[in-house]
Amino acid sequence: MQETRMAVYLTKKLFETLKTCSKKCTHIYNKPYIRIVEVGPRDGLQNEPVNIPTEVKINFINKLSETGLKTIEVTSFVSPKWVPQMSDNVEVYSGIKKKDFVSYPVLVPNIKGLESAIDVGVREIAVFASASEGFSRKNTNCSRQQGINRIKEVIDIAKQKSLKIRGYISCVVGCPYDGHIQSSEVTKVTEALLSHGCYEISLGDTIGVGTKITIEAMIKDVLRVTTADKLAIHCHDTYGQALANICTALEYNIKVIDSSASGLGGCPYARGATGNVATEDLVYMLEGMGAETGVDLKKLIKAGRYISDFIKKPSGSKVNSALYSKYFD
């Protein structure tokens, strides 16, 4: 009974949010538009133990490109020593069919990665920092401030090349090493990345421990130094809270949401963190509440099942599991 009341409450709150922000949103067919950033090919696959052939990654991205998604994060230009799954970054980026009006950003951790990305014609990059000192040292082998300083060096070069730059902040409410994260720490990192030149900051609940209360407190603090149109939300679904936390972000007029087809994902430096919120589930929820995503759910389900079948794992998307047989069997 309590779960039912919570579901009704969240549905009402999401509807109210979408109705309230409709005049401020970009419109498609007079509906509030929510932009989805598909991170499956990078964040979704980076931690998979099975070697995924380059051709499969390219096919996966090409299928996602046909769904109507406007932003698809393709790969990471990171050392193959640390993330072997991304060692074919050049081949993947060069091999995909790039559609007009679709952005194909890549993650770059340092200047070397940036230079490799520039060499293959990348036009948008993502950089990453942590709100947690412990996670920063484990993930990048440097302090949080040293990490921000390194990011500034990357951003300065990227701006000279007229690249778009998106920023990620990890562990915005909790860290596997430091525990609870103060919202003020997230705000400091957000302010630094924006001042250095990021056009948008994705607030990441890397280990999926966030709840409505902790996510709300964090967003409210961050909004002291910026506006909602500069922010995105990135929720892992470790404790089944991702959609509820996304609803909370929508209440604060955040209209960019990161997700991963079939709920793929996990972080090499955050043991126990499961996948991102599934893109199929996100699209189903948003469009059911009257928002426009521009995504063809049927094509998205097919793309998600394609990669799930290859890695021999059931889809992490409840919508995919519920509708695949209806559409394709």
Side-chain angles (χ1 to χ4, degrees), residues 129-179:
S130 175
S132 155
E133 188 69 30
F135 191 80
S136 180
R137 292 187 180 279
K138 186 71 174 179
N139 192 18
T140 60
N141 199 32
C142 66
S143 71
R144 187 177 63 184
Q145 186 56 53
Q146 287 172 328
I148 292 172
N149 293 342
R150 291 179 185 177
I151 288 170
K152 184 179 184 304
E153 295 175 356
V154 171
I155 290 175
D156 287 345
I157 297 173
K159 287 193 294 186
Q160 292 173 15
K161 300 294 184 179
S162 300
L163 302 185
K164 290 184 67 177
I165 307 144
R166 190 176 197 247
Y168 283 108
I169 302 179
S170 302
C171 300
V172 295
V173 291
C175 169
Y177 311 106
D178 295 349

Side-chain angles (χ1 to χ4, degrees), residues 154-327:
V154 171
I155 290 175
D156 287 345
I157 297 173
K159 287 193 294 186
Q160 292 173 15
K161 300 294 184 179
S162 300
L163 302 185
K164 290 184 67 177
I165 307 144
R166 190 176 197 247
Y168 283 108
I169 302 179
S170 302
C171 300
V172 295
V173 291
C175 169
Y177 311 106
D178 295 349
H180 175 70
I181 300 299
Q182 295 293 329
S183 297
S184 58
E185 299 304 313
V186 184
T187 301
K188 290 176 186 176
V189 181
T190 300
E191 193 168 25
L193 294 183
L194 287 172
S195 68
H196 292 332
C198 292
Y199 76 89
E200 181 175 276
I201 304 299
S202 177
L203 303 168
D205 181 12
T206 309
I207 56 175
V209 296
T211 62
K212 178 178 173 58
I213 291 175
T214 57
I215 292 292
E216 182 174 45
M218 180 272 298
I219 291 173
K220 287 172 70 174
D221 202 89
V222 171
L223 287 174
R224 293 189 300 106
V225 300
T226 190
T227 52
D229 62 322
K230 299 286 187 182
L231 300 175
I233 193 75
H234 181 119
C235 295
H236 285 240
D237 204 30
T238 311
Y239 293 89
Q241 302 298 298
L243 289 176
N245 292 338
I246 288 167
C247 288
T248 300
L250 287 167
E251 291 177 20
Y252 287 87
N253 214 23
I254 293 174
K255 300 187 289 291
V256 182
I257 305 169
D258 298 356
S259 61
S260 176
S262 274
L264 297 169
C267 178
Y269 301 99
R271 182 177 296 178
T274 56
N276 296 276
V277 65
T279 310
E280 300 95 318
D281 297 359
L282 177 63
V283 169
Y284 183 87
M285 180 188 78
L286 290 174
E287 296 197 344
M289 294 297 102
E292 176 63 53
T293 65
V295 177
D296 184 317
L297 182 59
K298 184 175 180 180
K299 290 181 179 179
L300 177 63
I301 287 171
K302 191 171 185 179
R305 186 58 64 98
Y306 169 79
I307 194 66
S308 294
D309 285 349
F310 182 83
I311 61 176
K312 293 181 171 54
K313 287 185 178 180
S315 174
S317 162
K318 291 181 173 61
V319 168
N320 196 308
S321 298
L323 293 181
Y324 184 84
S325 60
K326 175 182 177 180
Y327 289 149

Side-chain angles (χ1 to χ4, degrees), residues 106-138:
V106 303
L107 191 73
V108 297
N110 49 39
I111 292 175
K112 183 177 180 181
L114 174 63
E115 290 172 344
S116 297
I118 290 171
D119 287 344
V120 294
V122 166
R123 300 165 75 175
E124 178 175 348
I125 65 166
V127 295
F128 59 94
S130 175
S132 155
E133 188 69 30
F135 191 80
S136 180
R137 292 187 180 279
K138 186 71 174 179

